[in-house]
């Protein structure tokens, strides 16, 4: 039986940032800025975050929010095509600006070093608009209709993100779904022609990624990379991070990029200095896997990626002093599945490691805590309950700041967490189990438990040949205990059953393949085609052996403004279907702004790219419904991670351990945007609702849940089920009328 929420709260453990009173006392004595940063989002304050104010003023979904550098003002952009400027001190709307955009505003920023007088917005009409509030004379009314000081119309598709550079009042960068990132310099021009105009000669393309996307790390980039997000490092402003319609975030050095160019001729993408992608996502070939948000940490040493249909992941930028793994397409499989009895001596730690004598008393206390946490994890594994709590217990041990555990405890902890992952079966848990098994086998190359869980993980992935190799290895190392022998026999039976099922499916599949060729399927069949197991899934379509591949695109007229229709479940939009050969190099932008340069001559010289693997994963939320969902570092220290979710909540994790610490009800439908205050412990959120919500610590808000009391496990399990559908699009035609109801994909 599941442990109830109250019992789970009691079983939780202390954070690594210590007591806030000690920090406050140190600040009174020393007054250092570093202490102020540590206090800002201290765990004791984060755990008490609660809704303070719901700020009203917009008439549509609020798709963008941004603080000014002082934290005195908050900027917002909405589906109502208006910009709001809010006072942090009074929590009130100061100005409501009619921007003149003809479509939803997706991004807005204060331009640095302009006394907060210059603001910029990007929208679904593919325009960047700049407004100078200093041009207003006299007392400024709340509602303002003003002409922009600059309008840039050179993008051909929606603008999803803007970036500014600290200390630079002259330039703004815009990332668009047309595959380009453009640099707009206010000193050079105040306007540019609309895309595809006869006089289109804007030389402002910093990154041309219209041939930048690929479905796997091994692919030569030939598809358009529709940019969804970008960020500039506040510490190293020459570093630029972009993410879009594939699984790879790319880090560029602006000093190494070619000169600004026009978009008349499509160019090969410039080389990036680093590429980030979790290893298990680098070879998925899923066209629906893409990034919705990328962000640098406050110190610029880490980056955070949020995936649609996936989780949030953390990566190291500086790899010299870390254990982050780099990999190529050639060694993805061997990194994920090392052969039985594999051992990597370079990663070994001496089995004779002992605790320092002069820290004996402290170490005894720490080991005591670790043992209690191991008991929590072991009980979770044995009972099959509170699996998330068990995973967090193991992670806390393995990532303790001053952990002094010997190899035996580390090995047992890794194996226990692998077993918990395999039993929990949330999306990609199986890959996390494989990582733990490989780490455990670096400590003990003949570990029975690590090999057993590897066999089970490979079995879950359907990699029966490799699973068989591990079963054979288990026969040689199985301890002479009845429980161990029984475990091996059980995995053998599962493997035998899986092989029989695979052979049966192969036979049915061959017959089905012969029957389906040469027949045009109906729209209903295309949308709801079931795989061999009887479930409808996008994943099944992409893994099939169809010679022709269908692309389906449903674009709404509003990114989330559901107030414009009488039925809140319906949105107006257009449905387009495209059919092409799997080996087709069709580029949907090939007709835009001129011809394309051929890359055929460079194919043979194409060098396989190297990617950086993730170092932490954050699991609980659901990101499938919108393309503007953010994941953010909280505070100047960035020790906590937050993300919005499709269930109307937003989640906070401890950065180091991935441990979920807070779940807050922030919207009636979807939370998209999360921005922490520059200096105070305050967070602004927005989403499908027409309001902006401000969250601050409340002495009475000690529960993990902020909002109606609910079962945490049930909420997270439901989110994981939604993620497993992989953004499958279910379109139901209304019996009367021409509206389409989008139940699982809304962009």
């Amino acid at each position: 039986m599941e442990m109830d929420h109250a019992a789970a709260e009691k079983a939780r453990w202390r954070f690594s940032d210590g007591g806030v009173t000690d920090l406050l006392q140190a600040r009174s004595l020393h007054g250092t800025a570093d202490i102020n940063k540590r206090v800002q989002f201290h765990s004791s304050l984060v755990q008490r975050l609660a809704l303070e104010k719901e700020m009203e003023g917009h008439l549509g979904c609020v798709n963008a929010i941004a603080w000014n550098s002082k934290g005195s003002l908050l900027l917002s952009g909405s589906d109502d095509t208006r910009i709001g400027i809010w006072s942090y001190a009074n929590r009130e709307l100061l100005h409501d600006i009619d921007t003149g955009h003809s479509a939803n505003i997706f991004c807005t920023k204060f331009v640095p070093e302009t006394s907060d007088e210059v603001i910029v917005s990007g929208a679904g009409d593919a325009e960047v608009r700049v407004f100078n509030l200093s041009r207003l004379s006299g007392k400024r009314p709340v509602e303002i209709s003003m002409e922009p000081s600059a309008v840039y119309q050179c993008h051909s598709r929606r603008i999803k993100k803007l970036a500014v550079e600290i200390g630079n009042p002259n330039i703004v960068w815009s990332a668009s779904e047309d595959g380009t990132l453009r640099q707009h310099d206010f000193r050079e021009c105040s306007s540019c022609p609309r895309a595809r105009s006869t006089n289109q000669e804007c030389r402002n393309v910093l990154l041309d990624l219209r041939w930048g996307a690929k479905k796997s790390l091994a692919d030569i980039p030939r598809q358009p990379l529709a940019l969804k997000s970008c960020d500039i490092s506040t510490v190293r402003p020459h570093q630029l991070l972009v993410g879009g319609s594939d699984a790879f975030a790319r880090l560029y050095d602006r000093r190494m990029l070619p000169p600004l160019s026009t978009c008349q001729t499509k160019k090969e993408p410039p080389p990036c200095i680093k590429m980030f992608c979790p290893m298990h996502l680098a070879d998925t070939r899923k066209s629906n896997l893409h990034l919705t948000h990328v962000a640098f940490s406050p110190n610029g040493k880490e980056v955070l990626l949020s995936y649609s249909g996936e989780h949030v992941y953390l990566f190291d930028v500086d790899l010299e002093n870390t254990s982050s793994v780099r990999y190529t397409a050639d060694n993805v499989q061997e990194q994920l599945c090392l052969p039985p009895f594999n051992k990597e001596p370079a990663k070994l730690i001496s089995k004779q490691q002992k605790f320092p004598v002069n820290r004996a008393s402290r170490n005894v206390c720490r080991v005591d805590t670790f043992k209690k946490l191991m008991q929590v994890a072991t009980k979770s594994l044995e009972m099959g309950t509170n699996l998330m709590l068990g995973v967090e217990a193991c992670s806390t041990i393995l990532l303790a700041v001053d952990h002094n555990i010997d190899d035996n405890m580390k090995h047992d902890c890794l194996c226990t967490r692998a077993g918990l992952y395999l039993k929990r079966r949330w999306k990609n848990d199986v890959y996390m189990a494989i990582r733990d098994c490989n780490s455990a086998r670096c400590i003990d190359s003949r570990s029975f438990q690590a090999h057993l869980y590897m066999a089970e993980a490979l079995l879950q992935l359907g990699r029966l040949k490799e699973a068989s190799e591990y079963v054979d290895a288990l026969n040689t190392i199985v301890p002479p205990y009845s429980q161990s022998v029984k475990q091996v026999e059980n995995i053998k039976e599962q493997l035998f059953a899986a092989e029989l099922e695979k052979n049966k499916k192969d036979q049915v599949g061959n017959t089905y393949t012969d029957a389906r060729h040469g027949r045009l399927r109906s729209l209903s069949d295309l949308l709801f085609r079931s795989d061999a197991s009887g479930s409808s899934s996008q994943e099944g379509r992409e893994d099939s052996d169809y010679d022709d591949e269908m692309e389906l695109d449903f674009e709404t007229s509003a990114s989330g403004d559901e107030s414009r229709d009488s039925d809140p479940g319906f949105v107006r939009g257009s449905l387009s279907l495209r059919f092409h050969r799997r080996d087709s190099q069709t580029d949907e932008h090939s007709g835009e702004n001129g011809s394309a340069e051929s890359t055929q001559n460079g194919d043979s010289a194409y060098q396989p790219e190297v990617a950086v693997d993730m170092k932490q994963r954050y699991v609980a939320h659901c990101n499938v419904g919108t393309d503007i969902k953010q994941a953010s570092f909280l505070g100047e220290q960035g020790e906590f991670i937050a993300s919005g979710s499709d269930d109307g909540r937003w989640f906070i994790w401890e950065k180091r351990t991935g441990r979920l610490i807070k779940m807050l009800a922030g919207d009636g439908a979807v939370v998209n945007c999360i921005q922490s205050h520059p200096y105070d412990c305050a967070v602004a959120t927005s989403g499908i609702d027409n309001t902006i919500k401000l969250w601050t610590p409340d002495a009475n808000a000690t529960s993990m849940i902020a909002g109606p009391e609910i079962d945490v496990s049930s909420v997270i399990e439901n989110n994981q089920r939604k993620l497993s559908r992989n953004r499958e699009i279910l379109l139901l035609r209304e019996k009367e009328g021409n509206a389409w109801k989008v139940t699982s994909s809304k962009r």
Side-chain angles (χ1 to χ4, degrees), residues 686-700:
S686 68
I688 299 299
D689 288 351
N690 299 345
T691 60
I692 299 167
K693 297 176 179 65
L694 187 67
W695 308 80
T696 55
D698 185 330
N700 298 318

Side-chain angles (χ1 to χ4, degrees), residues 666-709:
D667 196 276
V670 178
V671 176
N672 282 323
C673 305
I674 297 176
Q675 292 294 312
S676 65
H677 191 275
Y679 305 114
D680 287 351
C681 185
V683 182
T685 66
S686 68
I688 299 299
D689 288 351
N690 299 345
T691 60
I692 299 167
K693 297 176 179 65
L694 187 67
W695 308 80
T696 55
D698 185 330
N700 298 318
T702 56
S703 170
M704 178 184 180
I705 303 167
E709 285 294 323

Side-chain angles (χ1 to χ4, degrees), residues 69-99:
S69 59
K70 298 177 182 177
S72 58
L73 299 173
L74 181 69
L75 198 62
S76 62
S78 168
D79 278 358
D80 60 14
T81 69
R82 306 181 77 88
I83 287 178
I85 301 179
W86 309 78
S87 166
Y88 174 61
N90 301 323
R91 274 66 163 166
E92 293 179 353
L93 179 64
L94 298 178
H95 305 297
D96 179 19
I97 303 173
D98 183 1
T99 63

Side-chain angles (χ1 to χ4, degrees), residues 427-451:
K427 187 160 190 176
N428 289 330
D429 271 356
V430 63
Y431 290 107
M432 300 302 104
I434 288 175
R435 286 165 61 99
D436 281 351
C437 288
N438 286 336
S439 297
R441 290 161 59 213
C442 288
I443 298 172
D444 181 0
S445 63
R446 296 182 65 84
S447 165
F448 169 77
Q449 209 63 38
H451 283 77

Side-chain angles (χ1 to χ4, degrees), residues 14 36 39 59 78 81 171 197 287 303 340 368 407 446 463 476 522 566 605 608 611 659 691 705 708:
R14 291 176 62 106
N36 288 336
V39 169
L59 300 177
S78 168
T81 69
I171 298 176
S197 301
S287 61
V303 296
D368 235 18
D407 282 351
R446 296 182 65 84
R463 296 172 63 172
T476 66
S522 69
S566 58
R659 164 184 164 196
T691 60
I705 303 167

Side-chain angles (χ1 to χ4, degrees), residues 14 35 96 245 289 308 403 414 448 491 498 540 609 614 726:
R14 291 176 62 106
I35 292 179
D96 179 19
S245 55
L289 180 67
S308 178
H403 69 278
L414 287 165
F448 169 77
I491 199 75
E609 295 183 271
M614 64 93 172
N726 283 304

